[in-house]
């Protein structure tokens, strides 16, 4: 399964998630009924929902099982997959005042620069930790995010406060290759 996923360009995280989902499904069905059938899939998904597993996780399980059947088992797609309706939950968002309090409370220039970049540019944690100094465009006050979600590159604008915070951090810490190197720099190479 890993090989089939890699050949089709799936991300490392998706490969891990899909393999784990299929493995859990196969452990769940009785040994004598190891065929992936509509009944087995629906029973398993219903069990997941009854245990309080989120609709998005169940949908990911269904996607993993579809991939497994189609590309690993080479089954014709005659299995009926009933996907749970997507839940619509409002995200927990800090108020402008709360964000300002968080940003003001941080005194370490490195931590402050990370928070300002994350907030002002909408970066994910995985994108922040992979930033290189060369990804900063000093002339345009922009940041290039390489291979973000979906393996896509994008350019993002920096607010004046974020730009000032990053400049202050760079002057004090003088990062070399990575914009925010970790404690074990050898691990980041």
């Amino acid at each position: 399964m890993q090989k089939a996923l890699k050949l089709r360009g799936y991300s490392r995280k998706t490969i891990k998630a899909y393999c784990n989902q299929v493995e859990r499904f196969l452990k769940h069905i009785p040994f004598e009924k190891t065929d992936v059938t509509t009944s087995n899939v629906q029973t398993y998904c219903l069990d997941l929902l009854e245990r309080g597993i989120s609709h998005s996780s169940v949908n990911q399980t269904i996607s993993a099982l579809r991939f497994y059947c189609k590309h690993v088992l080479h089954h014709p797609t005659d299995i009926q997959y009933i996907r749970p309706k997507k839940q619509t939950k409002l995200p927990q968002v800090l108020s402008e005042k709360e964000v300002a309090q968080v940003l003001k409370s941080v005194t370490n220039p490195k931590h402050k620069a990370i928070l300002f970049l994350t907030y002002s540019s909408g970066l994910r944690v995985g994108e922040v930790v992979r930033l290189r100094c060369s990804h900063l465009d000093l002339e345009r006050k922009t940041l290039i995010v390489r291979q973000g979600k979906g393996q896509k590159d994008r350019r993002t604008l920096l607010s004046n406060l974020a730009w000032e915070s990053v400049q202050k951090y760079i002057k004090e810490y003088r990062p070399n290759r990575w914009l925010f190197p970790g404690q074990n720099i050898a691990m980041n190479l």
Side-chain angles (χ1 to χ4, degrees), residues 160-179:
N160 287 336
L161 287 173
W163 187 253
E164 290 168 15
S165 179
V166 169
Q167 292 304 310
K168 183 178 178 182
Y169 158 72
I170 289 173
K171 283 179 187 171
E172 187 173 326
Y173 282 75
R174 303 215 181 276
N176 186 14
R177 182 175 174 194
W178 298 98
L179 188 56

Side-chain angles (χ1 to χ4, degrees), residues 13-121:
K13 286 183 179 180
T14 302
I15 291 170
K16 182 179 178 184
Y18 274 29
C19 289
N20 287 339
Q21 297 286 12
V22 170
E23 185 178 332
R24 281 193 288 271
F25 169 77
L26 293 174
K27 284 180 181 176
H28 182 270
I29 60 175
F31 184 69
E32 63 275 358
K33 296 180 180 179
T34 56
D35 288 342
V36 181
T37 64
T38 298
S39 175
N40 286 343
V41 171
Q42 288 179 355
T43 301
Y44 181 66
C45 289
L46 184 59
D47 180 59
L48 291 176
L49 290 168
E50 287 172 350
R51 288 189 293 152
I53 304 299
S54 73
H55 289 208
S56 61
S57 291
V58 174
N59 278 321
Q60 183 184 58
T61 298
I62 291 170
S63 296
L65 291 171
R66 285 188 68 172
F67 184 93
Y68 178 69
C69 288
K70 183 176 181 181
H71 299 290
V72 178
L73 299 178
H74 304 291
H75 269 210
T77 54
D78 58 352
I79 296 173
Q80 300 299 312
Y81 299 95
I82 300 171
R83 291 184 178 272
K85 194 174 184 180
K86 242 185 179 177
Q87 296 169 313
T88 52
K89 293 181 180 178
L90 290 175
Q92 292 286 333
V93 180
L94 296 175
S95 71
E96 201 173 319
K97 186 178 178 181
E98 291 169 324
V99 171
Q101 284 177 325
V102 169
L103 295 174
K104 285 179 186 174
S105 69
V106 178
T107 56
N108 181 301
K110 180 179 182 179
H111 299 158
K112 192 169 228 154
I114 289 170
L115 286 174
F116 268 100
L117 277 179
T118 304
Y119 179 72
S120 75
S121 301

Side-chain angles (χ1 to χ4, degrees), residues 136-154:
L136 284 173
D137 186 337
L138 303 172
E139 192 175 304
R140 295 184 183 137
K141 291 188 181 178
T142 60
L143 180 68
I144 298 169
V145 180
R146 301 267 182 223
Q147 301 294 291
K149 186 169 183 175
Q151 304 301 306
K152 295 176 185 164
D153 292 349
R154 71 179 190 280

